[in-house]
Amino acid sequence: EGVNTSSSRGTERLSDSAIKERNDRLRFEELLKKQSASLNDISSDGYLSKQQEEAEIDAYKRGLERIFEGDSAPTQPFEELVNIKSENAIDDTGMRRLVPWLKNTKTDYLIIVCDPRVQSPELRETVQQLNVGLPDEMLNKLIIINADTPAENRRWLKKGNFDNMTVFSDEKRQWMRSYTALGEDRWSMSMFVIADERVQKIAREMESLSAVKVIQNAVKAMKERQL
């Protein structure tokens, strides 16, 4: 997936049915890929071990549920995000203030950078890079979601002097599960751009050194042609 702006210009917006057909095909191809890999691990007697069965079931579920660019952007998971100042979930009211199309701003967008790892050095380095490298327009539309406690988030934000950053706690990783943002073979950082009720751009396993460029390219591509 990631961000690719080369095919954005000069192409027509896809219909809802075309997006669904494309993404269902991508999910099916991913499922076949995972099944093919698991077949190589079958024991000599032709049966999967209990551990292999569980791994295959998990791969099947992930293959069906994984979010792709153009899929609908679920809003309910935002309600469970925790405000790091009040230490309360933002609930429906906060969700409506956060999600662009629920604020009656159809052309607006939201950038989300998330990391399921507790006290992730890579996420903190990324925040530092974004704070310096992104223009104010994008920083104002950026939120960070991590698995740290509100107190821990307050500590590192104060230490880094990142007063302008909007950070939410997702200790149970509910939002990240809903957006299939836990990583593939390992937990990793992801980036989403959502607008007009859809996931417009995704970058999985994003690295801190390239984060500024990835986000700038994603927003540029999204503006040129929203799905």
Side-chain angles (χ1 to χ4, degrees):
E1 296 167 29
V3 175
N4 185 345
T5 62
S6 61
S7 61
S8 295
R9 195 183 300 274
T11 55
E12 295 182 0
R13 176 188 171 115
L14 293 176
S15 66
D16 290 353
S17 59
I19 290 172
K20 184 179 186 304
E21 181 179 351
R22 181 197 65 188
N23 288 352
D24 283 347
R25 185 172 64 252
L26 288 171
R27 277 184 274 271
F28 183 66
E29 289 172 356
E30 185 172 275
L31 171 60
L32 290 179
K33 198 182 304 178
K34 291 180 184 298
Q35 286 180 332
S36 176
S38 68
L39 284 174
N40 294 327
D41 296 328
I42 294 179
S43 60
S44 58
D45 59 7
Y47 291 93
L48 292 173
S49 68
K50 181 66 175 176
Q51 184 177 4
Q52 289 168 338
E53 285 179 348
E54 291 173 351
E56 185 145 353
I57 289 170
D58 182 62
Y60 175 80
K61 288 180 178 177
R62 285 192 292 154
L64 285 181
E65 296 171 0
R66 187 179 185 186
I67 285 181
F68 287 91
E69 292 177 0
D71 281 338
S72 296
T75 58
Q76 190 278 330
F78 285 92
E79 296 183 25
E80 305 298 326
L81 295 177
V82 173
N83 183 306
I84 65 170
K85 294 180 180 179
S86 69
E87 300 195 5
N88 295 319
I90 67 173
D91 296 326
D92 181 75
T93 302
M95 179 263 290
R96 292 182 178 279
R97 290 173 181 165
L98 194 62
V99 177
W101 54 91
L102 297 180
K103 298 187 294 184
N104 294 321
T105 50
K106 280 277 188 179
T107 58
D108 205 358
Y109 62 92
L110 183 67
I111 306 165
I112 304 149
V113 173
C114 63
D115 194 322
R117 297 167 292 189
V118 174
Q119 298 182 28
S120 168
E122 188 172 11
L123 176 64
R124 296 181 182 188
E125 172 64 24
T126 298
V127 168
Q128 185 174 350
Q129 297 286 340
L130 299 181
N131 189 48
V132 174
L134 285 182
D136 288 342
E137 179 209 342
M138 294 184 189
L139 283 175
N140 291 336
K141 301 181 188 301
L142 169 69
I143 67 170
I144 308 296
I145 299 175
N146 65 22
D148 292 335
T149 65
E152 176 60 29
N153 275 321
R154 290 195 301 269
R155 275 193 293 270
W156 74 264
L157 287 172
K158 182 178 180 180
K159 184 177 180 180
N161 196 27
F162 300 131
D163 297 334
N164 58 331
M165 288 290 175
T166 302
V167 179
F168 294 97
S169 290
D170 183 25
E171 290 180 75
K172 296 180 180 178
R173 302 178 179 87
Q174 292 173 316
W175 186 95
M176 287 182 260
R177 284 192 178 91
S178 297
Y179 272 76
T180 57
L182 292 176
E184 293 302 301
D185 297 323
R186 61 182 180 88
W187 280 355
S188 59
M189 189 164 50
S190 301
M191 186 279 304
F192 298 81
V193 179
I194 63 172
D196 197 18
E197 303 186 29
R198 295 193 183 280
V199 177
Q200 299 289 336
K201 290 294 172 185
I202 303 174
R204 299 187 187 275
E205 298 189 1
M206 185 174 71
E207 298 180 352
S208 60
L209 291 177
S210 59
V212 170
K213 192 66 176 176
V214 166
I215 291 175
Q216 288 175 331
N217 286 345
V219 172
K220 179 183 178 183
M222 185 268 305
K223 286 182 175 180
E224 288 176 349
R225 173 182 166 274
Q226 286 192 5
L227 294 166

